[in-house]
Amino acid sequence: MARPNHAGPLATAQAQLAAAVERLGYDEGLHTMLATPRRELHVAIPLRRDDGSTQVLHGFRVQHNITRGPGKGGLRYHPSVDIDEVRALAMWMTWKCAVVELPYGGAKGGVAIEPRLYSPGELERVTRRYTSEIMPMIGPERDIMAPDVGTDAQTMAWVMDTYSVNQGYTIPAVVTGKPLEVGGSLGRATATSRGVVHCARAALAESGLDLPDVRVAVQGFGKVGSHAARFFAEGGARVEAVSDEFGAMHRSGGLDLPRLLDHVRRTGSVVDFDGGDPLPGDALLTLDVDVLVPAAVEGVLTHENAPEVKARWVVEGANGPTTPRADAILADRGVVVVPDILANAGGVVVSYFEWVQAQQAYWWTEAEIEAKLAERMATAYAAVAEMARREQVTLRDAALLLSVQRVATAHRTRGLYP
Ligand code: NAD
């Protein structure tokens, strides 16, 4: 099984920023402004368990930057959540929103919990208590949450309800990624995955290729990975391997995605699917495919396995899957990495559409949303690719240069108060 590299997502995020700042020639003061989270909250979440006992969990919300607009970022439920991971994820959200030109800053939240060990009732109580503890920080004009690892549309409905009940009226724009029945947007559930596939297509097109020309491996079969695998297959790519935390499945020539999705719906895992052969999870990352999509957790591509990666394109569905050392190795070897802040930005783009729709109380059709998403992703990819060509840097460096520059310009234009 692939193991996340706990050397630290925050170290990765800070190293990426430092490199961009150096290239942009900013002074230490501006660097510190860009590196320092604006607000952080660490909350205790007392939970009444179903058996009557009490447990105290720990939760966080970090607003890394709110210069271009309200904080925007997911809520993660995972046992390894800590303040540094949340800081890193919040910083990536700042750059991501700037890359796709959304009027948002970057934020992130998390609770250190293994959600699978808790009943739906317990998860609802955790979510409502967490929401009420961080209430002063959030709101449609302050900080807007969305689902991330371990949370889903139902979690967002509980956040929205708790916030609304406390304010005295219904405020759908406080979260995105909600169920459709309470103001969610068509196309949100699949938006991140669609964005990943749009980016893969754009990157392949630079080499005169398209989806039917490539073999794909997808690590992680959750909200991002499972739909991405499906869209790759629907576009004509051969998805030869997929994995989740329990194991991986492989089939030369391509897995039958509709059958695999059905298997996962029934059993909760890709393991034991009868349409392929089991593969050690780690082996998926170095499999002989053309496109590798890490869509699980951070830190899985390291200096140890990067020399063995055979894919020519890595399209980052997950946040922070590649360590800086792995990045350098992949760049040296000519592997094109479409970076997380661009490749997985489709989710936040449609979250923005959901927020706009909620503010107007007017909902768009799925076709309108998908067309607008495709256009945003194409524009962002083109801008990043153009910067990469002009500056002779990787797509990651170009995406960071573009976004850090946009945030720095916003700081300078607004000026420093007082
Ligand atoms: P999820 O919880 O729905 O799915 C995560 C998947 O990864 C699961 O299939 C899990 O079994 C698998 N997994 C966990 N550890 C693994 C390991 N070590 N090896 C292989 N598989 C492993 O989460 P998600 O929403 O799909 O998010 C996945 C990644 O995408 C995260 O980095 C998240 O921050 C990022 N992301 C998500 C969205 C979104 O809209 N959901 C948007 C942008 C970025």
Side-chain angles (χ1 to χ4, degrees), residues 51-118:
D51 66 7
S53 65
T54 301
Q55 185 185 357
V56 179
L57 299 160
H58 293 272
F60 309 91
R61 187 74 191 170
V62 172
Q63 291 169 358
H64 168 256
N65 196 291
I66 47 174
T67 303
R68 301 178 71 257
K72 182 85 192 82
L75 170 62
R76 177 173 291 198
Y77 286 178
H78 193 275
S80 72
V81 162
D82 62 22
I83 186 68
D84 279 350
E85 181 183 67
V86 177
R87 285 174 177 147
L89 292 163
M91 187 187 288
W92 284 323
M93 283 307 297
T94 301
W95 313 141
K96 191 181 302 183
C97 291
V99 159
V100 284
E101 297 194 88
L102 304 182
Y104 290 140
K108 200 81 181 191
V111 177
I113 182 173
E114 172 50 83
R116 270 178 289 238
L117 302 180
Y118 292 78

Side-chain angles (χ1 to χ4, degrees), residues 241-282:
V242 300
S243 68
D244 59 24
E245 68 201 274
F246 308 109
M249 296 304 297
H250 174 251
R251 183 172 178 271
S252 294
L255 294 154
D256 180 341
L257 261 297
R259 276 193 58 229
L260 176 59
L261 283 159
D262 188 50
H263 171 84
V264 173
R265 256 189 300 274
R266 279 185 288 107
T267 68
S269 171
V270 302
V271 173
D272 292 335
F273 176 54
D274 64 8
D277 302 312
L279 188 76
D282 278 341

Side-chain angles (χ1 to χ4, degrees), residues 109-325:
V111 177
I113 182 173
E114 172 50 83
R116 270 178 289 238
L117 302 180
Y118 292 78
S119 71
E122 290 172 330
L123 290 174
E124 177 173 354
R125 292 197 288 281
V126 168
T127 304
R128 289 188 184 279
R129 185 62 186 252
Y130 169 77
T131 305
S132 77
E133 294 293 342
I134 66 160
M135 191 87 71
M137 253 178 113
I138 59 172
E141 314 298 343
R142 293 167 186 259
D143 184 348
I144 305 127
M145 260 184 254
D148 190 71
V149 175
T151 59
D152 58 16
Q154 177 61 69
T155 321
M156 292 303 110
W158 291 328
V159 173
M160 186 275 248
D161 184 69
T162 306
Y163 185 80
S164 297
V165 166
N166 278 275
Q167 301 297 315
Y169 64 107
T170 298
I171 307 172
V174 68
V175 294
T176 59
K178 297 178 290 294
L180 291 178
E181 301 76 26
V182 291
S185 176
L186 292 166
R188 172 60 184 91
T190 53
T192 308
S193 316
R194 280 203 191 279
V196 166
V197 178
H198 287 316
C199 283
R201 255 203 167 111
L204 291 169
E206 295 201 57
S207 298
L209 299 175
D210 198 359
L211 297 184
D213 302 313
V214 294
R215 297 159 303 153
V216 181
V218 180
Q219 183 198 36
F221 210 70
K223 294 185 287 298
V224 178
S226 64
H227 294 298
R230 177 163 67 87
F231 295 143
F232 272 113
E234 286 173 5
R238 282 154 287 153
V239 179
E240 296 201 335
V242 300
S243 68
D244 59 24
E245 68 201 274
F246 308 109
M249 296 304 297
H250 174 251
R251 183 172 178 271
S252 294
L255 294 154
D256 180 341
L257 261 297
R259 276 193 58 229
L260 176 59
L261 283 159
D262 188 50
H263 171 84
V264 173
R265 256 189 300 274
R266 279 185 288 107
T267 68
S269 171
V270 302
V271 173
D272 292 335
F273 176 54
D274 64 8
D277 302 312
L279 188 76
D282 278 341
L284 177 137
L285 297 169
T286 54
L287 205 65
D288 181 17
V289 289
D290 305 298
V291 179
L292 173 64
V293 180
V297 289
E298 56 262 24
V300 293
L301 289 171
T302 67
H303 61 284
E304 284 164 8
N305 59 12
E308 310 303 323
V309 168
K310 295 180 191 63
R312 279 178 61 202
W313 292 269
V314 173
V315 186
E316 296 184 334
N319 286 309
T322 311
T323 66
R325 284 173 76 185

Side-chain angles (χ1 to χ4, degrees), residues 4 41 45 222 328 332 380 397 402 409:
L41 200 54
I45 307 165
D332 276 352
D397 290 345
L402 203 63
T409 302

